[in-house]
Amino acid sequence: MADFIICGHGSFASGVKSGIELIFGPQERIGVVEFLDGETKTELDAKMARELDARADGAGGVLVFCDVLQGSPFQSAVTCSQGREDVRVLFGTNVAMVLECVARSLAGEVPLEELVDIALEAGRAGLGVFRPQAGGAEDDDWE
């Protein structure tokens, strides 16, 4: 079974994990790496390397969810995963992505590459807009 790492600026990662755990209960296979105010990139890299080392057991690989492309957490994940065939790094993470990957993993073994596809599909599907209409709830528009 794959492990997951959520990383981002501030408490983004712990917030996403908290939401996932409200739905599925405690998740030992989800690690968190946060880039906190006052930390250096070197400190972030050390935290990321420790988390990857702790999770890379060779069984199902590690899927790293980053908040934004080219942010320091993303750069750290990419740097620390170099040369590791069992790690994939995603960016633009939303809760829907992580939620779907955890749900599928809890239901059974899912290959790492399939989890990547699941995450990307769920992330896109989890975006939309609600536009209230003047006529009331029955006329409201969901996209």
Side-chain angles (χ1 to χ4, degrees):
M1 176 184 272
D3 276 32
F4 306 104
I5 297 173
I6 307 168
C7 66
H9 295 83
S11 57
F12 170 83
S14 60
V16 172
K17 182 178 180 184
S18 174
I20 298 300
E21 290 184 330
L22 279 173
I23 296 166
F24 292 116
Q27 297 296 310
E28 293 180 13
R29 298 195 78 89
I30 300 176
V32 168
V33 176
E34 296 179 325
F35 188 36
L36 302 173
D37 189 32
E39 286 186 328
T40 66
K41 178 73 166 52
T42 301
E43 291 169 318
L44 176 62
D45 287 346
K47 290 195 303 188
M48 182 65 70
R50 278 193 306 271
E51 192 64 37
L52 278 169
D53 288 343
R55 301 209 165 271
D57 61 8
V62 181
L63 189 54
V64 182
F65 293 93
C66 300
D67 56 355
V68 294
L69 174 66
Q70 295 305 329
S72 295
F74 171 81
Q75 292 176 19
S76 181
V78 168
T79 298
C80 293
S81 67
Q82 292 297 312
R84 299 177 80 152
E85 296 292 322
D86 64 339
V87 178
R88 299 294 178 273
V89 179
L90 300 174
F91 56 85
T93 296
N94 61 34
V95 175
M97 296 169 74
V98 183
L99 185 70
E100 189 65 25
C101 286
V102 170
R104 298 279 187 98
S105 292
L106 289 172
E109 189 69 31
V110 182
L112 188 60
E113 290 305 322
E114 188 174 332
L115 283 172
V116 169
D117 293 340
I118 289 166
L120 295 175
E121 182 179 323
R124 285 188 285 272
L127 296 175
V129 62
F130 170 77
R131 292 188 177 94
Q133 304 297 313
E138 60 276 353
D139 295 328
D140 288 341
D141 188 19
W142 297 84
E143 294 179 26

